């Protein structure tokens, strides 16, 4: 017998999804690898202080630790990390320990505890290692060295025997010569090293170079790339040929290139076989050894496909319900994928290419709520003043409730970070947390987002705080104009670069009733002085270089435009954030106090860029929900009331 739905205002619906569920059951999974007959992976553990564990499946099918607590396999290279662990041929784990950034070796079969293989530095965590790869009896990696306010990077070799644990001279520097390096790849015959290099002010999605070092002579050749061509993931096809990704056509496509720089497109297509290199070690193509490359390509959503190197033919691999795909590892015809979709939880899965069978290894959530509480993702394109805007809409959904006749729902525009990131249909429990309470979500791929080619990414050049704001406003206005959202109850939330867009939108438009900034950028002149090296020149492309654009830095920054703000703001900030320091939120809070704007500021000890601890995640999401209810006029049962400062 079906129970009649209760009529209640949007936003006040009772949901089985709590903020504690978001934190306690969520443990993002990444970095899968075949190790003998086992599969290992990395897993964020919010219930263990936010450490990154290395885990495997036990005999009973349950996840067990390879790397025991409190060890934390996470590198701070570029602050975003990547390639923090690898495994030797004999099954020993090599990883970067987050607390001191030293490399350690650990064989879970024989070692009592991990053994350091790089030296302890006089300044904690000043030497960092990422993009790890085993080469014979060494681990080759990207090394980042901080000293006296300067940062130097190179590709170095660390002996696996531990001799460098207390003797730095046992390590070898292989090559440097640029501000940034990625993808160290040794040729099959061991005579040459290929890698990607770039310099300030370029970001890796703006311009990089493919370089090759002849180890015997020390000669370096630049084969491809430049300041207006982004080259990614070189992989040796043989001793004299590489497959590499380049966006020279306007899309990240695959090319074949030899040591003379002769380049041939493998399969020209209007799709991206690559993405912004925020984390080291990302993979978009893998040779299967049968004349095919396994690839992932993106135009809005991801597609896994086999690329025939002889003919250029693409054969899509059908994965029902999957919208996001990342290749983790390959063993013959067995593929480890990190994947998910709008109704398929993200996680690590094993694909058998011969049968098409996709088997769960470890999902990023322990339990999903009943599917009736999960919102459906609808891909929509909105027309802005000058261009189209891609977005995903998640309407309110709860089988136990319906809204009063004629009432339109409040909507929250989620603004991703980067700002070069990209959103695809996915099971977002955070979205379900809101939609199951009667609050709609629109996730916006504003101009500057990846996944739609270089021209779409370049829309944000010099226009940060303008195009991203215009596109987000176009999306929410489109919803209101279509009668899907209440035009008087529109909110905006985002983190990092998304937080900048939140604050920019609130101070330059009157569309939103309120906004929530998670560790968002609020000011630019001091930001570029205080942020980390990887992004210290990022603003050159987004706004303009200093000192030429100094006036624009001031005019564009939200903290200087608070006179245009008239709605409440919630600021959330980690006090250990090296990327967007707490001073950014504190400056904006001071401006809110001076203007007399209602607001709340929640600062969390021990949290950095992206909240990782259970108690922080619960506090932040409950505060956000209470904030929306107070501003947009609905009750929020079951969560503590957030205290707003009011004049």
């Amino acid at each position: 017998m079906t129970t009649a739905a209760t009529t209640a205002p949007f936003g006040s619906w009772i949901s089985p999804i709590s903020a504690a569920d978001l934190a306690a059951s969520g443990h993002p999974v990444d970095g899968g690898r075949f190790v003998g007959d086992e599969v290992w992976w990395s897993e964020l553990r919010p219930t263990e202080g936010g450490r990154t564990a290395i885990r495997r499946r036990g005999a009973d099918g349950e996840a067990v630790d390879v790397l025991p607590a409190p060890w934390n396999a996470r590198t701070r290279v570029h602050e975003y990390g990547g390639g923090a662990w690898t495994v030797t041929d004999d099954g020993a784990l090599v990883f970067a320990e987050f607390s001191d950034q030293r490399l350690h070796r650990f064989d879970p079969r024989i070692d009592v505890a991990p053994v350091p293989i790089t030296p302890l530095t006089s300044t904690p965590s000043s030497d960092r290692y990422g993009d790890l790869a085993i080469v014979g009896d060494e681990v080759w990696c990207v090394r980042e060295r901080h000293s006296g306010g300067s940062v130097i990077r190179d590709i170095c070799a660390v002996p696996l025997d531990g001799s460098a644990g207390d003797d730095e001279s046992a390590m070898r520097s292989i090559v440097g010569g640029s501000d940034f390096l990625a993808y160290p790849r040794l040729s099959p015959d061991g005579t040459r090293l290929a890698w990607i290099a770039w310099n300030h002010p370029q970001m890796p999605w703006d311009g990089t170079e493919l370089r090759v070092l002849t180890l015997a002579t020390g000669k370096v050749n630049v084969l491809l790339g430049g300041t207006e061509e982004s080259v990614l993931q070189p992989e040796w096809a043989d001793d004299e040929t590489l497959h590499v990704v380049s966006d020279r056509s306007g899309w990240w496509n695959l090319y074949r290139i030899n040591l003379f720089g002769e380049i041939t497109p493998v399969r020209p297509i209007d799709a991206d076989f690559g993405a912004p290199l925020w984390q080291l070690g990302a993979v978009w193509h893998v040779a299967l050894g049968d004349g095919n490359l396994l690839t992932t390509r993106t135009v809005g959503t991801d597609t896994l496909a086999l690329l025939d190197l002889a003919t250029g033919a693409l054969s899509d691999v059908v994965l029902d319900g999957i919208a996001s795909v990342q290749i983790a590892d390959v063993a013959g015809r067995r593929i480890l994928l990190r994947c998910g979709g709008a109704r398929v939880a993200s996680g690590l899965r094993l694909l058998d290419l011969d049968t098409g069978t996709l088997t769960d290894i470890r999902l990023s959530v322990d339990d999903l709520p009943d599917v009736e509480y999960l919102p459906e993702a609808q891909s929509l394109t909105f027309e802005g003043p000058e261009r189209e805007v891609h977005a995903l809409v998640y309407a309110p959904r709860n089988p136990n409730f319906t809204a009063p006749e004629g009432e339109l729902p409040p909507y929250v525009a989620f603004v991703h970070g980067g700002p070069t990131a990209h959103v695809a249909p996915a099971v977002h429990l955070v979205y379900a947390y809101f939609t199951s309470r009667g609050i709609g979500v629109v996730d916006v791929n504003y101009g500057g987002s990846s996944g739609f080619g270089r021209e779409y990414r370049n829309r944000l050049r010099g226009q940060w705080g303008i195009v991203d704001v215009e596109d987000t406003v176009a999306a929410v206005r489109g919803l209101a104009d279509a009668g899907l959202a209440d035009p008087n109850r529109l909110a905006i939330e985002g983190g990092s670069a998304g937080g900048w867009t939140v604050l920019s939108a609130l101070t330059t438009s009157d569309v939103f009733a309120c906004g929530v900034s998670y560790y968002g950028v609020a000011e630019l002149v001091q930001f570029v002085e205080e942020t980390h090296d990887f992004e210290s020149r990022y603003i050159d492309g987004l706004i303009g270089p200093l000192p030429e654009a100094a006036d624009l830095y001031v005019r564009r920054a939200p903290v200087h435009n608070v006179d245009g703000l008239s709605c409440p703001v919630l600021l959330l900030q980690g006090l250990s954030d090296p990327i967007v320091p707490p001073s950014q939120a504190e400056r904006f809070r001071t401006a809110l106090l001076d203007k007399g704007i209602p607001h709340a500021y929640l600062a969390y000890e021990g949290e950095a860029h992206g909240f990782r601890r259970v108690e922080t995640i619960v506090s932040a999401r409950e505060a956000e929900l209470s904030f929306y209810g107070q501003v947009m006029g609905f009750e929020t049962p079951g969560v503590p009331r957030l205290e707003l400062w009011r004049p």
Side-chain angles (χ1 to χ4, degrees), residues 63 104 111 147 208 254 300 317 331 369 392 448 454 465 556 561 568 590 623 627:
H104 289 69
D111 291 334
S147 178
T208 62
L254 279 156
V317 179
L392 297 167
R454 183 167 184 125
R556 198 77 65 81
N561 295 315
T590 298
F627 176 70

Side-chain angles (χ1 to χ4, degrees), residues 287-306:
L288 296 181
D290 59 358
N292 286 300
L293 288 182
L294 184 70
T295 66
T296 56
R297 72 181 189 277
T298 303
V299 183
T301 58
D302 295 345
T303 301
L304 188 72
L306 296 174

Side-chain angles (χ1 to χ4, degrees), residues 175-226:
V175 71
S178 62
D179 293 331
F180 302 96
L181 311 94
Y183 293 111
R185 297 292 191 265
L186 188 65
S187 62
D189 63 6
T191 64
R192 295 180 177 89
L193 177 71
W195 75 99
I196 298 299
W198 70 98
N199 293 305
H200 285 305
Q202 271 67 48
M203 300 301 285
W205 44 89
D206 294 326
T208 62
E209 294 179 342
L210 168 61
R211 299 182 181 182
V212 173
L213 166 70
T214 301
L215 294 170
T217 65
K219 183 180 180 181
V220 174
N221 290 322
V222 177
L223 299 186
L224 187 65

